[in-house]
Amino acid sequence: MMNNDIWSGSLHPGLDEAGTSPMRSPLLDAKVMMVDDEPLMTELIQTHLEDEGYTNFVVTNDPRQALELLKREKPGVLLLDLMMPQVSGFDLLAAMRADSELRYTPVIVLTASTGADSKLRALRLGATDFLGKPVDASELVLRVRNTLAFQQYRERQVNFDQVTGLPNERLFERAIDMLLARPEQRNGLLALFSITVPECQQLRESVDRPTANALAAVVARRLERLSGLGADAAAGLRAPDASPRVARLGEQMFGLVVDDLRDTNAVVTCAKRVLAALSEPVLLDRHEVVPVPWLGVAVAPGDGDSASTLRQSADLAATHGRRQATAQITFASPELNAQSYHRLMLGSQLRGAAQRDELRLHYQPKVDVANGHIVGVEALVRWQHPEHGLMPPGRFIPLSEELGLTSIIGEWVLEQACREVAGWARSGLREISVAVNVSKLQVVAGDLGQVVRRALFDSGLPARQLVIELTESMLMDDVPHCLGLMNDLKSIGVTLAIDDFGTGYSSLSYLKKFPLDELKIDRSFIADLPGRTTDTALVRTVIELGHSLGMTVTAEGVETDAQLACVTQLGCDTFQGFLFERPVPPQRCLELISSQAAIAC
Ligand code: C2E
Ligand code: MG
Ligand code: MG
């Protein structure tokens, strides 16, 4: 953000003028370079400046090295002696002014000669100021401060937008190029958002410039807030660092860059969050404005490999989107556009899916290894989509979490599973358990105990028949909270299972504390059986661990006879998998269980 503190800050690093809060002028961090053939002189000047609080010095007593050093160090100000052997201060000034990189570096010329000729000559060569030798400490300090302050002011004029204080296009593009050059950038995606807020221009045309400026300032603050969100904040927006992430690119145009994004889903989520934040109404004096922003999004790698090519892609996308007036977010890549459209559409349809009776439960039998009897079923949700057909949970559960629909879907699943299985019992079927998966957000929400109580009460299903499946990552995230929740569920009489065991990280000491009844070994471990001895040894260890903690152990994803033989031999209690049956609709599941009951009779 723009720092307006150039002149106001005391040069003394201690107290401010009121003698209260410590305030250090940013000028004191400027790099001061000295070129003088007399070491005593450079030491003296450095001491004076250090007394004032300056810390950053580059010194040479050999003027032949000066040009190279200047290019490397890029100082904020150069103190240059005019009379030096081999290369004079005049020679150096002339060389600097001929160099595009060094042309605008401010130079204070140190000269014992009071001759008007040499002063004029130095001025003609572009010297910024003079300082007479012997050096007067107060004059030195003031001249250095003034020169640096003017330089910073000039840089600000060149690099920042005066209305919002945001960096301008020039600084922004330089920052993006730097981000792209960072080696770690290759790990994730970098998204560049080109954002048009037409109301900024409309307000200037229809109301006045101050009102338009006020809106631009609000947009700027909202973008800054977004860019300051930590990496964990859903979309993976990065924590702020020194490089500018937000910029004003034109009267109605802003830029935002977000890097280290996990995948294209994170880019889409980010875009939606930016759109939502900027679309909030803005109250300006007597006007309420509801901005309708247009976003163009370009992603690296893919849509460009430099700031300018990425900007071009993002701007083009934004213009295209606005012209078509179809979507407020337009991606430079056609695939991302399709993905985002699909997700947006799907999201809005998912909202009403439960009400429209489009959710279904399929059940996968859980079988006793010893006798092949179905001892329970796992309820797995599906979405009967009017166009896309039966959709598996992997395609909509994450989306439901993003959209805050977890509790609606989660409660429906619990109620439906309890209702359906209680109905089977009423129709005379023997008692079997039903396992329900819950999502992390249901665990975090804190009312799962209540939801379970209600589902059991409404359906009449005995609590002992209900199994709640939790995963390792849910449990390890907030151990005290989970422990409380699990104890509550246990007090109702519900069975608790740890699902997909082995895919997350479990601390054994915690695992011991949790009141778990069942351990389900993830199917990725079973898929390798019977194979190398290490795989078998691993599964054997997990089974022994489960048993030693008093849990029954279920193998998930058993697909072959050989796998079944292996898990049986290793001591598993129950199994699920395509070998016995895939998840099936309730009617088919009922038939399966009934046919076993008939055999048993
Ligand atoms: P999960 O709880 O581990 O469920 C088992 C998944 O493995 C199911 O996929 C099932 O179809 C699949 N599966 C079963 N046997 C085999 C096999 O032999 N081979 C292979 N390759 N796969 C097998 P599904 O139904 O797609 O569910 C995926 C995941 O979605 C579930 O994993 C669970 O984590 C989640 N899920 C399902 N229903 C719900 C729900 O109602 N709520 C929540 N929060 N998550 C759910
Ligand atoms: Mg499960
Ligand atoms: Mg599982």
Side-chain angles (χ1 to χ4, degrees), residues 352-596:
Q355 266 176 0
R356 287 193 304 272
D357 205 18
E358 290 171 0
L359 296 180
R360 304 274 179 276
L361 284 185
H362 280 192
Y363 294 91
Q364 183 175 44
K366 182 168 73 178
V367 180
D368 189 334
V369 166
N371 54 22
H373 284 173
I374 299 172
V375 289
V377 291
E378 178 173 0
L380 295 154
V381 68
R382 271 92 182 99
W383 178 11
Q384 185 65 57
H385 191 280
E387 294 150 44
H388 305 305
L390 198 66
M391 284 171 57
R395 281 182 64 192
F396 62 92
I397 291 278
L399 189 62
S400 77
E401 293 184 349
E402 240 173 64
L403 297 172
L405 304 173
T406 318
S407 58
I408 301 179
I409 296 181
E411 282 176 31
W412 180 87
V413 170
L414 250 170
E415 284 163 10
Q416 180 71 2
C418 292
R419 206 170 25 238
E420 232 153 19
V421 176
W424 296 349
R426 275 195 292 275
S427 68
L429 204 71
R430 68 187 158 85
E431 185 173 309
I432 54 145
S433 67
V434 57
V436 171
N437 296 279
V438 294
S439 94
K440 187 175 182 149
L441 292 182
Q442 281 176 281
V443 170
V444 175
D447 62 347
L448 191 58
Q450 275 316 103
V451 176
V452 167
R453 279 186 181 86
R454 204 170 45 234
L456 290 173
F457 181 80
D458 290 349
S459 63
L461 185 78
R464 61 174 184 277
Q465 277 180 258
L466 180 63
V467 182
I468 297 289
E469 293 195 3
L470 305 151
T471 62
E472 280 167 290
S473 57
M474 287 177 195
L475 301 185
M476 296 302 155
D477 249 18
D478 184 351
V479 172
H481 170 76
C482 283
L483 207 53
L485 172 72
M486 291 165 89
N487 284 329
D488 184 32
L489 291 173
K490 286 299 295 176
S491 74
I492 306 172
V494 165
T495 302
L496 296 179
I498 185 159
D499 197 8
D500 304 342
F501 189 82
T503 55
Y505 161 78
S506 282
S507 150
L508 284 187
S509 58
Y510 285 135
L511 209 57
K512 205 169 62 183
K513 283 191 201 155
F514 291 135
L516 287 160
D517 306 287
E518 180 184 352
L519 184 154
K520 299 183 79 172
I521 306 174
D522 189 68
R523 68 167 186 267
S524 57
F525 295 92
I526 307 301
D528 292 334
L529 297 180
R532 287 176 315 194
T533 40
T534 44
D535 297 328
T536 315
L538 198 73
V539 174
R540 176 183 291 119
T541 310
V542 173
I543 295 170
E544 280 168 9
L545 170 80
H547 284 160
S548 70
L549 293 175
M551 295 187 246
T552 60
V553 180
T554 302
E556 296 188 283
V558 174
E559 294 183 352
T560 64
D561 287 321
Q563 283 168 350
L564 179 59
C566 189
V567 297
T568 308
Q569 195 248 322
L570 292 175
C572 249
D573 305 291
T574 45
F575 76 96
Q576 284 176 232
F578 293 172
L579 176 67
F580 187 86
E581 191 55 273
R582 290 175 179 256
V584 288
Q587 190 50 40
R588 165 86 187 120
C589 192
L590 193 57
E591 284 163 16
L592 271 172
I593 305 166
S594 310
S595 67
Q596 278 200 339

Side-chain angles (χ1 to χ4, degrees), residues 197-361:
V197 184
E199 292 73 18
C200 287
Q201 193 171 328
Q202 288 157 11
L203 276 182
R204 183 180 54 75
E205 287 164 0
S206 60
V207 185
D208 55 19
R209 190 176 283 281
T211 314
N213 286 351
L215 176 64
V218 171
V219 172
R221 298 295 84 80
R222 286 183 181 178
L223 286 174
E224 277 178 339
R225 250 202 319 276
L226 274 172
S227 78
L229 290 177
D232 290 338
L237 292 173
R238 267 175 55 95
D241 56 24
S243 42
R245 304 268 163 175
V246 182
R248 183 145 191 218
L249 305 174
E251 181 172 25
Q252 51 173 351
M253 275 190 73
F254 297 82
L256 170 71
V257 64
V258 183
D259 69 340
D260 286 353
L261 288 165
R262 251 184 343 272
D263 51 23
T264 49
N265 277 347
V267 178
V268 174
T269 311
C270 234
K272 285 197 285 185
R273 294 184 56 206
V274 173
L275 185 68
L278 295 187
S279 307
E280 288 281 312
V282 182
L283 201 63
L284 298 169
D285 205 6
R286 283 163 293 117
H287 307 269
E288 192 190 55
V289 183
V290 184
V292 182
W294 299 87
L295 269 62
V297 191
V299 177
D303 300 332
D305 54 7
S306 67
S308 66
T309 50
L310 272 177
R311 271 258 351 241
Q312 212 175 1
S313 308
D315 289 352
L316 245 164
T319 315
H320 182 74
R322 216 180 146 191
R323 202 173 294 140
Q324 305 281 310
T326 44
Q328 275 175 268
I329 303 172
T330 311
F331 293 90
S333 108
E335 298 89 71
L336 253 174
N337 262 339
Q339 185 184 340
S340 134
Y341 175 74
H342 186 68
R343 282 166 66 82
L344 284 172
M345 286 294 289
L346 218 57
S348 60
Q349 292 167 343
L350 186 57
R351 247 172 244 285
Q355 266 176 0
R356 287 193 304 272
D357 205 18
E358 290 171 0
L359 296 180
R360 304 274 179 276
L361 284 185

